[in-house]
Amino acid sequence: MSTEEQHGPGRRRPWHRALRRAAGAGIAALLLTAGLATPLDPAPRPAAAAGDGERVLTAAVAQSVDSLNPFLATRLVSTSVLRLMYEYLTDYDPGDGHPVPGLATKWTPSADKLTWTYTLRTDATWSDGRRITAEDAAWTFRTMMTDEEAATANGSFVGNFRKVSAPDPATLVVELERPQATMTALDVPIVPKHVWEKAGDLGTFGNDKAFPVVGSGPYVLTGYRADSYVRLKANPRFWRGAPKFDELVFRYYKDGDAAVAALRKGEVSFVSGLTPAQADALRGQDDIEVNDAPGRRFYALATNPGARTKDGTRFGDGHPSLLDRRVRQALFLAVDRETLVDRVFQGHAVEGAGYIPPRFGTYFWKPSAGQELRYDPGRAARLLDRAGYRKNADGRRVGKDGKPLHYRLLCHATDPNDKAVGQYLTEWWGDLGIGVELTCLDNVTDPWLAGTYDLAFDGWSVNPDPDFVLSIHTCGALPATEEDTGATDNFICDKQYDDLYARQLAEYDPGKRAELVKRLQSRLYDLGYMNVIAYPNALEAYRTDQVAKLRTMPEDGGNIYGQDGYWSWWSAEPAGTGDGPDGGGSTGAVAAVAAGVVVLGAVLVFLALRRRSTADDRE
């Protein structure tokens, strides 16, 4: 599995509620397809019907929205949309990622750094015209502090909050239990209190029925259909200035080749998540620009360490051999990262090691020569022998019980990298005498949360502040009960790791904190539960006859889609205008919009399974 940025340790969303939401959306999609219901909003219109002079940018995405409720959403596509809808207290500078003003114009800690005072801007309004005040932010944080459902996505940021108050409309005060280094990087969408206090049960509220949705970002949500599209209109009240595109549409394509074909035909303006072969085929094409840049994600292989709850209750059926570190390390010693980067990613990636990609140089970590688990099948075989799993006469590794080692490897059916890497692992581990069953599913969420897997492909996007992606491996992130999801990535719980995590969170000195973050990655590496295989490049493309320019992040050779902010879509210039959001008015070419329809077969699959997770699931 894999989000965008943040979820909260110790906060849970019950399965039955998530399933109820997903099933409801699937039934609605089926009825719409069959013509038995009327959509709440019309589908995105073809360019010719887009309106007099309207400028529309359409981006193809390969991931289903899990929720448009910012208290619940964890998938990259969802959090990317929410960044466009709701402003944060602070943003990340598109150049180097340092904190810059968002809703807050300045922030000041007390001498002991246990009280933080934020001054909110007075020139920001909600899209319905009401002023944004400190009480909106205070209500957002207090709700997360007191409602477990509201803390599902971002609870890690408020777990250390003692009190939040708004003494006046422009002043927000946060009192902490202990020092917290993430106070200038609280990646929490601030919502309008006057809307959300009427929402009811935040665990079931989808925020996707009444349009337009009141927000504060550069775009306003005006339409949504599950596994079809998300439609947003430019917000003329956005405090930084309205974007130049009048409408932004994220259109869902399950098949990557279909998305590329739509780009070639001009039916979409932008495609991300290209394979190296697709990117190479698009290079040099008229009116198409390919962006190939160091990414903010890691691509990993996770082992099931024994799914458990916070009180230690075990569940699931992970293979017991994986509780032995020697076995885990043997598996990783039989993975040739260099070959995978060369043949699967075709050089558009960097060999992996720690959790932080090299683009974040302050926190990037590599193991020492003596620590590194380099490709060494001979050493892997010896470790398995010492762990008591020797080859029998048939060349199969068997345990003391006489049962052969055989693992279920969970992969995303829509990710070609998972399938290709899985074939290599099947061969390499087969040479060790280990059987592998590659199980590629549209929906990996259920078996993952239930702990009914042995190994699985994993991946996360990393923020300039790495706290969140480290928090998902703490004991506090485990689910409270077997029926809860928790905020854990892979059920890891290690006291030494937890101690290091708490120390980095409380360390304000940048250099000292960076060293602690590196020690955290070192500890995770030594535990052997997570094998970071590679840091893939961002491979994406857009039509230059529709889009004149898109800002990357970082600006010097960064990605366009899935940024730590809204910079690419807010700054996008329609072809022929010559100016961005800060320039004057213009008229430009209209980007074509694929009207598209929901495919009945896909809906039937959706009803049978919960929405799939993809390799770029989590930010």
Side-chain angles (χ1 to χ4, degrees):
M1 271 167 75
S2 26
T3 181
E4 185 206 288
E5 297 113 19
Q6 58 280 9
H7 322 271
R11 305 297 187 177
R12 291 81 61 188
R13 173 155 52 102
W15 285 358
H16 71 278
R17 291 186 175 180
L19 183 58
R20 188 166 68 221
R21 280 201 305 274
I27 292 170
L30 178 59
L31 292 174
L32 287 166
T33 303
L36 300 177
T38 301
L40 292 172
D41 62 283
R45 300 151 294 175
D52 185 17
E54 283 195 354
R55 298 153 298 189
V56 183
L57 193 162
T58 305
V61 295
Q63 186 182 44
S64 298
V65 169
D66 58 337
S67 178
L68 290 171
N69 179 339
F71 294 110
L72 303 179
T74 59
R75 292 183 180 174
L76 180 59
V77 65
S78 309
T79 52
S80 295
V81 170
L82 289 167
R83 281 187 177 275
L84 296 166
M85 295 169 57
Y86 301 104
E87 180 66 287
Y88 296 3
L89 285 180
T90 62
D91 293 320
Y92 294 108
D93 181 82
D96 61 10
H98 74 271
V100 296
L103 290 179
T105 59
K106 64 178 181 179
W107 40 92
T108 307
S110 59
D112 61 5
K113 296 188 177 180
L114 292 178
T115 300
W116 286 73
T117 302
Y118 299 84
T119 300
L120 270 65
R121 62 180 61 256
T122 59
D123 60 345
T125 63
W126 296 108
S127 56
D128 62 3
R130 295 183 59 161
R131 178 184 169 185
I132 300 173
T133 70
E135 182 56 32
D136 292 306
W139 187 90
T140 300
F141 291 129
R142 287 196 299 258
T143 300
M144 293 167 59
M145 293 165 63
T146 57
D147 185 337
E148 289 188 351
E149 301 288 2
T152 298
N154 302 314
S156 60
F157 292 106
V158 302
N160 183 41
F161 285 14
R162 186 177 70 83
K163 181 181 178 182
V164 180
S165 60
D168 62 66
T171 305
L172 175 73
V173 180
V174 179
E175 300 176 34
L176 304 174
E177 298 284 355
R178 299 170 303 281
Q180 181 169 323
T182 60
M183 295 306 289
T184 59
L186 296 173
D187 293 330
V188 176
I190 303 302
V191 302
K193 176 183 176 181
H194 66 282
V195 174
W196 282 81
E197 64 184 354
K198 303 171 186 175
D201 184 354
L202 294 181
T204 58
F205 181 62
N207 197 32
D208 58 2
K209 297 295 186 293
F211 303 113
V213 175
V214 178
S216 59
Y219 281 93
V220 175
L221 179 66
T222 58
Y224 167 67
R225 188 180 295 175
D227 291 340
S228 181
Y229 66 85
V230 178
R231 187 176 67 205
L232 304 108
K233 286 279 192 178
N235 179 8
R237 301 181 187 273
F238 183 47
W239 69 271
R240 289 190 193 273
K244 286 299 179 186
F245 275 97
D246 301 297
E247 187 168 281
L248 174 61
V249 177
F250 292 98
R251 178 162 292 285
Y252 174 73
Y253 287 84
K254 183 176 180 179
D255 181 76
D257 288 334
V260 171
L263 181 75
R264 290 180 183 274
K265 292 185 290 185
E267 294 175 345
V268 300
S269 315
F270 173 87
V271 176
S272 64
L274 298 173
T275 65
Q278 289 169 339
D280 289 343
L282 289 172
R283 294 182 199 278
Q285 295 286 309
D286 291 342
D287 299 322
I288 291 179
E289 178 75 18
V290 175
N291 185 47
D292 183 353
R296 56 182 284 240
R297 301 189 59 76
F298 65 79
Y299 179 83
L301 185 68
T303 63
N304 186 342
R308 73 190 94 172
T309 62
K310 285 185 178 180
D311 65 4
T313 301
R314 298 278 181 172
F315 62 93
D317 60 2
H319 201 290
S321 66
L322 295 173
L323 299 177
D324 190 324
R325 188 188 304 192
R326 294 170 297 183
V327 174
R328 299 194 300 269
Q329 291 185 338
L331 292 176
F332 294 170
L333 285 164
V335 176
D336 187 349
R337 294 179 182 84
E338 183 177 353
T339 292
L340 295 179
V341 167
D342 181 53
R343 297 184 183 177
V344 175
F345 295 98
Q346 297 180 32
H348 299 275
V350 176
E351 286 186 49
Y355 247 44
I356 313 299
R359 127 176 189 178
F360 302 107
T362 300
Y363 301 108
F364 178 61
W365 170 87
K366 295 179 67 174
S368 64
Q371 181 185 20
E372 187 176 15
L373 296 173
R374 295 293 297 176
Y375 180 57
D376 190 340
R379 183 183 171 195
R382 294 190 294 273
L383 275 177
L384 290 171
D385 287 343
R386 289 201 291 270
Y389 297 94
R390 297 180 177 275
K391 284 187 175 182
N392 61 15
D394 297 325
R396 299 291 304 277
R397 295 275 173 183
V398 297
K400 294 178 181 178
D401 58 3
K403 295 182 179 180
L405 280 184
H406 188 90
Y407 295 130
R408 298 160 298 170
L409 175 55
L410 190 61
C411 90
H412 304 81
T414 54
D415 191 326
N417 291 330
D418 282 10
K419 296 176 183 177
V421 173
Q423 293 302 320
Y424 278 101
L425 297 181
T426 300
E427 177 184 344
W428 292 332
W429 291 344
D431 291 341
L432 281 177
I434 298 174
V436 179
E437 177 187 352
L438 187 62
T439 306
C440 297
L441 305 173
D442 280 344
N443 164 40
V444 303
T445 302
D446 284 345
W448 191 294
L449 295 178
T452 53
Y453 66 97
D454 299 321
L455 300 111
F457 290 105
D458 197 6
W460 288 77
S461 292
V462 179
N463 302 108
D465 187 294
D467 176 76
F468 170 74
V469 81
L470 300 172
S471 75
I472 57 179
H473 293 307
T474 59
C475 298
L478 293 173
T481 70
E482 181 179 345
E483 288 74 31
D484 297 331
T485 62
T488 185
D489 176 40
N490 197 41
F491 302 104
I492 295 172
C493 179
D494 175 71
K495 185 179 184 304
Q496 184 175 333
Y497 182 92
D498 273 17
D499 289 344
L500 287 168
Y501 173 79
R503 287 176 61 188
Q504 70 82 28
L505 182 60
E507 181 56 70
Y508 286 109
D509 181 274
K512 293 179 180 178
R513 186 177 180 223
E515 286 305 311
L516 288 168
V517 169
K518 291 176 182 178
R519 288 177 61 186
L520 270 168
Q521 295 177 80
S522 177
R523 177 61 180 170
L524 198 60
Y525 186 90
D526 288 343
L527 288 172
Y529 292 120
M530 298 294 299
N531 178 12
V532 178
I533 293 173
Y535 310 111
N537 285 8
L539 288 173
E540 45 202 4
Y542 64 93
R543 293 197 63 92
T544 57
D545 58 344
Q546 298 179 7
V547 185
K549 184 169 63 175
L550 286 166
R551 178 180 290 179
T552 62
M553 183 179 185
E555 288 179 317
D556 183 15
N559 59 293
I560 296 170
Y561 176 71
Q563 294 182 356
D564 299 292
Y566 41 67
W567 308 112
S568 56
W569 309 121
W570 171 70
S571 68
E573 299 178 14
T577 63
D579 56 14
D582 297 317
S586 63
T587 60
V590 177
V593 183
V597 295
V598 179
V599 179
L600 180 59
V603 174
L604 293 175
V605 172
F606 177 83
L607 290 172
L609 301 171
R610 292 170 62 186
R611 290 188 192 134
R612 70 180 185 89
S613 296
T614 69
D616 65 344
D617 233 3
R618 311 173 179 181
E619 185 169 352

